[in-house]
Amino acid sequence: KQYGTWVSPIYNILNYNVLNGGGDELYGVEPLSYYIKNLCLNFNYVALLAICFPAFSSLLVMEDTTSTTSTTTTKQQQARLQKRNEVTLRILLSPLFLWFVVVLPRPHKEERFLYPIYPLLCLGAAVTVDKVWNVLASTTNTTSRRTKTDGTTSSPSQQYQRTKLIGGTLLLLPSCLLSISRTMALSKYYTAPLLVYAQLPFQQAEQEETKEGRNQLVCTCGEWYRFPSSYYLPQGYELGFLPSTFHGQLPQPFTKYGSKKESLAIQTGTFNDVNMEETDRYVSSISECSYVVELVHDDYYNKDDETKDDDTTIPECLEYMNVMNKKNPKHKQWTSIASFPYLDASQTRTLHRMFYIPGWHEYGIQDGSIKYNSYILYENPNL
């Protein structure tokens, strides 16, 4: 129940994006290759193994029955069990391909749209590896008894499971290493927004006496979409938006009643379903902001003052600061209180963007194939 009315989120999503003629293209359009690249980056060849499941499921069902792991069951019982397992696996993995049918044709694509199928990708890859290994085992003589060094013999089941474990580990180990490297890359390259907003509680602790009783505005311009969550804002702090080159509809904060009916009476601002700009989202002036968050290219700091004034690529929030300082020359200058490196993807080579490898990364910084910018938290000393 939302705002006093019963609603179905699933129906609303389908109605807005599909049944009502489509509306998601208003938020950006990407080609099909966008999802292919994301799956390759986040799951490497494991994604391919998962997608290949239907082919192996139909082609290798008979070969699987030859991999006998029990001497007490008959071949007919094994066949019935195998058939039942195949049906169960197909039911479990069917949402993976149904999800592809739903999201792939949509013009607006985001990585988060693939999150629901990540567990199914792992399951599908595991099943495919299992089936491939069963076929390899059936085509080689791995089910015969082997004599151990102590004179005893190992059963076919023990030998099969042992070689299967070793083979599966060797097959998936490169994927694990690639995934670790990718995770380290994401953590090192792109966590600057999280680290910047995480500084606000420390600022609150230092200034709770001097700024007590007044809400603090944390403002941003074009970097609004990298704001992680309101959970990063301490009590008494609010997010504010300053005009930028983005002219779509910006988010609207919840009231103290959340999505209850009482919010309708006090909710300010207007909404639309065509992603049109709503100017009531903006803060009237940067002078109202206690803090500003901005991504600043390092090249900007290497320019002299005259060049900075004429630079058309100056970060938008810094431009507002400069205008404010010129109008009020007696005011104190904005001060940078926290800064963290943020990878400049447009100036960094592809392999360096994809993975993080210690040593190779540091060498890339030295030879110029990797470039960072600065994600900065500014404080307004005049408030």
Side-chain angles (χ1 to χ4, degrees), residues 44-240:
N44 45 76
Y45 62 85
V46 169
L48 179 62
L49 291 173
I51 295 172
C52 289
F53 165 77
F56 285 103
S57 177
S58 59
L59 294 177
L60 306 183
V61 61
M62 294 307 297
E63 283 84 344
D64 267 354
T65 61
T66 63
S67 298
T68 305
T69 58
S70 175
T71 59
T72 60
T73 57
T74 64
K75 291 185 178 181
Q76 291 181 344
Q77 290 174 325
Q78 292 179 33
R80 286 194 298 267
L81 178 62
Q82 177 66 23
K83 186 176 181 179
R84 187 162 58 247
N85 290 340
E86 288 295 328
V87 173
T88 301
L89 286 173
R90 288 171 183 172
I91 293 174
L92 289 174
L93 289 172
S94 59
L96 170 63
F97 301 97
L98 290 175
W99 191 259
F100 281 144
V101 171
V102 173
V103 302
L104 292 185
R106 303 311 311 160
H108 180 62
K109 297 176 177 62
E110 294 186 33
E111 181 181 346
R112 61 191 176 99
F113 295 165
L114 298 178
Y115 290 172
I117 62 171
Y118 279 2
L120 294 176
L121 287 172
C122 296
L123 175 61
V127 173
T128 300
V129 171
D130 180 73
K131 289 182 172 297
V132 170
W133 189 258
N134 286 338
V135 173
L136 294 176
S138 66
T139 55
T140 58
N141 194 22
T142 58
T143 57
S144 60
R145 291 182 176 271
R146 297 279 181 89
T147 302
K148 299 181 180 179
T149 56
D150 59 359
T152 61
T153 58
S154 60
S155 67
S157 176
Q158 293 174 336
Q159 179 187 331
Y160 170 76
Q161 293 297 335
R162 183 168 57 253
T163 54
K164 184 177 182 180
L165 176 62
I166 296 174
T169 300
L170 293 176
L171 177 62
L172 295 177
L173 182 60
S175 174
C176 293
L177 296 176
L178 288 173
S179 298
I180 293 173
S181 179
R182 177 61 180 168
T183 301
M184 294 176 66
L186 293 175
S187 177
K188 184 174 181 63
Y189 300 161
Y190 304 112
T191 54
L194 304 179
L195 298 174
V196 162
Y197 284 101
Q199 302 303 307
L200 293 173
F202 300 104
Q203 297 301 313
Q204 181 194 39
E206 293 177 2
Q207 301 174 356
E208 59 182 359
E209 295 182 0
T210 59
K211 297 184 179 181
E212 186 176 3
R214 185 177 61 82
N215 284 348
Q216 309 296 306
L217 269 180
V218 182
C219 300
T220 187
C221 296
E223 289 298 305
W224 64 270
Y225 63 96
R226 290 195 177 109
F227 173 67
S229 169
S230 295
Y231 292 113
Y232 277 77
L233 297 180
Q235 186 175 3
Y237 282 58
E238 298 177 2
L239 182 67

